Amino acid sequence: MNGQTFEIPAEMRVLAEKSVEQARTAVGSFIGTAIKTAEQMQSASHTMQASMQSVVTKGLDQVQENAAATFDFAQKLVRTRDPREAMELHAEFLRSQIAALQAQAKDLGALTQKTLQPAA
């Protein structure tokens, strides 16, 4: 060995430094996008969970309303004096419950549809 040292040309060092910087920028951008996507997915998950909870709560509220109406009807029914009065009360209860169930189905359907629509 005659003591000569091999030196990397300056142009190659500049090119290598640019390549490392470009790679650093690309990886940083990729990681930033991945973090942002994960945060959005987590937010969407929380939103969906809260929305589904509102559907369940609405359904349980409706069950409670229907049960109360049925017990009110039963209480009135045991106080009737004759079969004619009982039949009139029964017909009135059926009409009111059909109307209530239609309204509840419409409300629950609208809430469910709103819940299942993708966030804009």
Side-chain angles (χ1 to χ4, degrees), residues 7 9 18 22 25-26 40 48 80 82 92 94 112 117-119:
E7 194 166 315
K18 283 182 181 180
Q22 288 174 346
T25 300
Q40 288 173 342
M48 178 60 95
T80 59
D82 58 53
E92 175 188 323
L94 285 178
T112 301
Q117 287 179 346

Side-chain angles (χ1 to χ4, degrees), residues 68-83:
T70 301
F71 283 115
D72 289 347
F73 164 69
Q75 193 170 38
K76 290 176 186 177
L77 187 62
V78 297
R79 294 181 184 157
T80 59
R81 295 187 187 123
D82 58 53

Side-chain angles (χ1 to χ4, degrees), residues 101-117:
L101 289 172
Q102 287 174 335
Q104 290 171 353
K106 183 179 177 182
D107 289 347
L108 195 57
L111 183 58
T112 301
Q113 186 175 19
K114 179 181 173 188
T115 298
L116 297 177
Q117 287 179 346

Side-chain angles (χ1 to χ4, degrees), residues 5-44:
T5 58
F6 177 75
E7 194 166 315
I8 299 174
E11 296 84 17
M12 285 191 70
R13 280 196 304 260
V14 169
L15 182 62
E17 285 181 23
K18 283 182 181 180
S19 295
V20 169
E21 260 324 294
Q22 288 174 346
R24 181 188 310 268
T25 300
V27 169
S29 176
F30 174 76
I31 291 171
T33 300
I35 290 170
K36 186 176 179 179
T37 301
E39 289 170 350
Q40 288 173 342
M41 288 176 64
Q42 185 177 17
S43 176

